[in-house]
Amino acid sequence: MRTSRPGFLLRATATLAAAGLVLTGCGSSEEKPKETKPSPSAPAEPDHEPLTGAELPEGQTAARKHPAYIVKIDNTAASAPQYGLAKADMVVQELVEGGVTRLAVAYYSQLPKEAGPVRSMRATDAGIAAPIDAKIMTSGAAPYTYAQLKKHDVEWIDMSTPYVVRDTSKPHDYLHSVVAKVVKAGRAAAKEGAAKRPADFMPWGDATTKLAGGKPAKAVDVKFSQARTDNWVFRGGKYRLKNNYMGKSGQFLADTVLVAQTRTTIAPYKDPGGAIVPVSHFTGRGKAWILRDGQIVEATWVKKGEKGAVTFTDANGAAIEVPPGKVWLDLIPQGNGQVEPGGVTVK
């Protein structure tokens, strides 16, 4: 697995040769060191994007003047058209109240001018944002959620700032009219000069990495609840979500779709309509499925705490590296969530 440190440098150590013995005219001797040239330094390991694993040209670094951002975006029919997703590095989909889902859309390699429609955070977001020290752009949150994010040192940007604002000119109702000004937030962060390169979100491989042990699966359904099932198709080398709410010109096309079954609990509050609020815990371990190149691979995921990095192993316990590219990650609940490749339910 690649190191996540940018510009990681291995240096060869120059050594001096043993001193030679030189005879003088009167029979005495003295030691003189041989002249040696210092060994050249080994080339720097190429850097790669922390949220996609994409390798950068030699001499370039992924470190930027802004942090990673996660924009919380509604994922119901009322959100159509979602905007800003085409520039995302990664999307995480999580279960919320009513059996519907919400997106945590992550940006680092490039920032959109705007993204949305923006909605509120959930406690689930701690396990998504903390590993990469991302700032969450959100319309707000319940007190319980704020407390959970604070507990894990996750920062957010809400409507008390000029970077998350209401824009009623958007083709949405009032509830779905909040916009994240992502580029504007990035420029402000650059002036502060405190940003650092995020850690790798995935255990990235390189361009030669291939997943072993896969089964053909070019159409896969991922079930969150009775109200939400993703319909994925592999076409033209990319995974396309058939039942999405993205604008036609702003589709997120995934190179890899990852599905992780997570322990799901109920938050100690209800939404304004009285519905229970699920919390998906992206910590611990569970079943996983990796979709890549029209194949599906069964795996196990492990993640130690909200701040921990996720890893994957195959049926034999061998580590799995994720090939570089854009990833869509579905966090489905253990017990209720299902993955159905070719109409066969995998549990």
Side-chain angles (χ1 to χ4, degrees), residues 3-342:
T3 176
S4 62
R5 290 184 292 167
F8 181 72
L9 194 63
L10 297 175
R11 297 189 178 276
T13 303
T15 60
L16 295 177
L21 184 64
V22 180
L23 298 178
T24 67
C26 61
S28 64
S29 65
E30 64 178 320
E31 294 182 350
K32 290 184 179 179
K34 291 181 180 179
E35 292 185 5
T36 59
K37 295 181 179 180
S39 300
S41 297
E45 181 179 326
D47 197 9
H48 57 275
E49 294 291 351
L51 305 192
T52 68
E55 189 170 295
L56 297 171
E58 186 175 349
Q60 290 191 18
T61 175
R64 292 174 173 83
K65 295 182 179 180
H66 59 76
Y69 294 101
I70 289 177
V71 181
K72 291 310 303 290
I73 295 181
D74 187 83
N75 197 44
T76 65
S79 69
Q82 297 163 333
Y83 49 92
L85 274 75
K87 286 192 173 183
D89 288 331
M90 180 179 71
V91 176
V92 183
Q93 184 174 197
E94 61 195 63
L95 188 67
V96 294
E97 58 273 15
V100 299
T101 59
R102 191 155 296 173
L103 306 181
V105 184
Y107 301 93
Y108 185 67
S109 67
Q110 54 181 340
L111 304 181
K113 183 178 180 181
E114 297 180 337
V118 177
R119 297 297 302 278
S120 58
M121 302 181 290
R122 294 293 184 272
T124 299
D125 298 322
I128 302 167
I132 54 173
D133 200 24
K135 295 182 184 295
I136 303 177
M137 303 187 77
T138 177
S139 61
Y144 170 79
T145 299
Y146 282 128
Q148 291 301 303
L149 296 184
K150 275 186 176 181
K151 178 180 177 181
H152 301 292
D153 301 317
V154 176
E155 297 182 9
W156 57 85
I157 301 171
D158 60 20
M159 295 182 72
S160 66
T161 74
Y163 313 117
V164 180
V165 299
R166 192 175 299 282
D167 184 353
T168 54
S169 70
K170 298 293 183 186
H172 301 94
D173 59 30
Y174 185 80
L175 184 63
H176 298 83
S177 61
V178 179
V179 178
K181 302 286 187 177
V182 191
V183 164
K184 188 175 181 179
R187 287 173 179 165
K191 291 180 181 179
E192 296 177 3
K196 62 180 181 180
R197 181 194 188 279
D200 288 352
F201 193 91
M202 294 287 174
W204 298 116
D206 58 27
T208 65
T209 301
K210 300 291 183 183
L211 298 182
K215 298 178 181 178
K218 292 192 175 183
V220 177
D221 294 339
V222 179
K223 181 180 178 182
F224 283 83
S225 68
Q226 294 298 324
R228 179 65 192 180
T229 297
D230 281 2
N231 305 130
W232 288 99
V233 293
F234 181 73
R235 188 171 66 245
K238 302 286 185 180
Y239 286 92
R240 302 163 190 266
L241 183 59
K242 293 174 64 177
N243 54 334
N244 73 73
Y245 303 107
M246 296 174 248
K248 289 183 179 180
S249 61
Q251 295 279 306
F252 181 92
L253 301 179
D255 296 289
T256 303
V257 176
L258 269 160
V259 184
Q261 281 190 339
T262 62
R263 181 176 65 90
T264 303
T265 60
I266 304 302
Y269 69 95
K270 294 183 178 180
D271 79 346
I276 61 172
V277 178
V279 178
S280 300
H281 299 271
F282 194 32
T283 62
R285 64 189 294 121
K287 286 186 178 181
W289 293 264
I290 306 174
L291 282 62
R292 179 81 182 200
D293 298 327
Q295 303 278 312
I296 186 168
V297 175
E298 293 188 43
T300 297
W301 66 268
V302 176
K303 187 170 178 290
K304 295 181 180 179
E306 277 76 7
K307 296 182 181 181
V310 65
T311 59
F312 301 92
T313 55
D314 63 19
N316 297 318
I320 296 175
E321 292 184 340
V322 179
K326 292 192 172 189
V327 171
W328 183 294
L329 171 61
D330 281 338
L331 302 180
I332 64 175
Q334 291 176 345
N336 294 326
Q338 295 178 345
V339 178
E340 300 179 356

